[in-house]
Amino acid sequence: MQPAQKKETVPDTVIAAMRRTNELFDAEVISKQNLDALDRVYTAHARVLPPGAPMIEGREQIKDFWRHAIAGMGLTSVKLKIVQVEPAGDGVIEIGRADLSVAGGQVVTVKYVVCWKQEDGEWKWNIDIWNVNH
Amino acid sequence: MQPAQKKETVPDTVIAAMRRTNELFDAEVISKQNLDALDRVYTAHARVLPPGAPMIEGREQIKDFWRHAIAGMGLTSVKLKIVQVEPAGDGVIEIGRADLSVAGGQVVTVKYVVCWKQEDGEWKWNIDIWNVNH
């Protein structure tokens, strides 16, 4: 049972685990194009709401999405930065910023909301939506 | 203290309250251009992450945003449809779809994630992000 608090915070250990997942996405999925590492980034029931496409659900569709996104955009890195976090029951809501390095050396900056859940002891993305600033 | 459950659900009474807020946004804010009604739609600490602009926070900035969006896009209605809801502690996370009627009779469809909180007994948008499907 949680005590009544005006402002709840997310424990540092959870934020550290979230950072590890965010870094895994960049280091394994994007840089090495290891799509199977997405199983350690997204929950089994994750939903992704990308700009320019309908919502997608589930591991296979999410792998297909990122396979095509990496190839189509020429993605070489995605640097994720936590901007705000707030507890949400057994999950965490993150507002963040991502710098995407794409073909031709350009960097595209997007802002995002990720709803996190714990699965198999790891913190993973359960809902993932983003858009560009300009 | 909540019992351990495999799948929690959002009470129908809460979903009904969410629908009322969503309808208020269309009926008052958009249709009547009553920007002050945004105080009943967004929490005092709400954050809005619109496509094409940086994140904005707080009531005055949010009113400015919607004032310009309504005028700039020629918005005449925004029909919101709840697609999925899940409990998130003392809040609710909604995935939804919005049909925006804009200048020239066109309809733009967007998908969104809204993180809801209760404030002054009403269910309101605490984090609001969306993007277009095409």
Side-chain angles (χ1 to χ4, degrees), chain A residues 47 50 52-53 84 111 132-133, chain B residues 47 50 52-53 84 86 111 132-133:
Chain A
R47 285 134 295 165
Q84 295 181 6
K111 57 193 179 304
V132 295
N133 284 8
Chain B
R47 284 132 296 164
Q84 295 181 6
E86 49 195 64
K111 57 194 180 303
V132 296
N133 284 7

Side-chain angles (χ1 to χ4, degrees), chain B residues 28-70:
Chain B
E28 284 293 323
V29 178
I30 304 299
S31 297
K32 296 187 189 163
Q33 300 186 29
N34 172 9
L35 279 302
D36 286 332
L38 286 165
D39 294 347
R40 291 185 280 153
V41 173
Y42 287 99
T43 65
H45 302 289
R47 284 132 296 164
V48 179
L49 293 87
M55 179 170 81
I56 55 180
E57 294 193 62
R59 292 211 148 119
E60 290 315 308
Q61 279 205 58
I62 290 173
K63 285 178 194 174
D64 277 349
F65 169 78
W66 281 112
R67 187 178 293 114
H68 288 104
I70 291 167

Side-chain angles (χ1 to χ4, degrees), chain A residues 28-29 33-41 59-60 63 67:
Chain A
E28 283 293 323
V29 179
Q33 301 185 29
N34 172 8
L35 279 301
D36 287 332
L38 286 166
D39 294 348
R40 290 185 281 153
V41 173
R59 293 212 149 119
E60 289 315 307
K63 285 178 194 174
R67 188 179 292 112

